[in-house]
Amino acid sequence: MATPRHVLSATRMHFPKDCTEIPEGTRQNLRSYVISNHNLGVAAAIAVNCLESEVIRIAEEAVPNNKVQVLPVPVWGAFVPALNTLLGCAQSRGARFILYQSLEVTCTREVLQKLLDYQTAETLVVG
C-alpha cells in the first residue's frame, strides 16, 4: 500500500533575475508549504532559479531540521528544466511518487491519501 513515506512533494520558485529578496506573500506560502509537508510526513524538494540560501533559511525557520531539499536550476528556460530536476531528485531519493504542486497549494492528509488510493500498477498520473 502506498503511504506518505513513498512520496516526494515537489514545487518550484522562479524569481525575476534582478530579484534580491523574496516577497512576503511568497515567504508565507513557502512557510506553509514546508509546514504542510512536515505534517504530512513527506519529503519535499523546491527548484529555484536564485535566492537558494534565502529559501533554505526560511524553510529552516518554519520547521527546524526539515526534510526539504532546495535544488538550484540556473538555466530555467520554460518550467521543464525545473520539473526534470525535481523528478531527478525524487528518483535519487527512491520515491515511488512525486506530488507536483504549486507553492500556494496546501495538501491535506485526506487529499494525499485519496490520490494514493487511486494509484495502481497501471496508473501513470493521478490529479
Side-chain angles (χ1 to χ4, degrees):
M1 180 172 150
T3 66
R5 73 174 190 274
H6 298 117
V7 176
L8 174 74
S9 173
T11 194
R12 61 189 179 89
M13 298 175 73
H14 183 269
F15 303 100
K17 59 183 167 186
D18 60 345
C19 186
T20 58
E21 65 181 66
I22 300 173
E24 183 52 42
T26 304
R27 288 172 183 257
Q28 185 55 47
N29 288 338
L30 174 56
R31 289 182 199 105
S32 296
Y33 176 79
V34 172
I35 292 167
S36 171
N37 285 298
H38 175 75
N39 291 341
L40 287 173
V42 301
I46 304 171
V48 298
N49 66 321
C50 63
L51 302 174
E52 179 182 353
S53 60
E54 184 67 3
V55 170
I56 292 168
R57 185 187 65 74
I58 294 167
E60 186 64 24
E61 285 178 0
V63 177
N65 302 312
N66 62 60
K67 296 190 274 184
V68 176
Q69 186 171 0
V70 178
L71 307 166
V73 181
V75 180
W76 201 270
F79 55 85
V80 174
L83 298 179
N84 286 341
T85 299
L86 292 163
L87 178 59
C89 178
Q91 289 173 325
S92 70
R93 287 174 168 247
R96 288 180 46 206
F97 309 102
I98 186 163
L99 177 65
Y100 285 114
Q101 64 185 92
S102 296
L103 187 67
E104 301 82 12
V105 173
T106 301
C107 184
T108 64
R109 280 190 191 279
E110 295 78 21
V111 169
L112 178 59
Q113 193 56 59
K114 188 71 147 175
L115 291 169
L116 292 172
D117 289 345
Y118 279 107
Q119 185 64 37
T120 69
E122 291 80 33
T123 307
L124 180 60
V125 177
V126 176

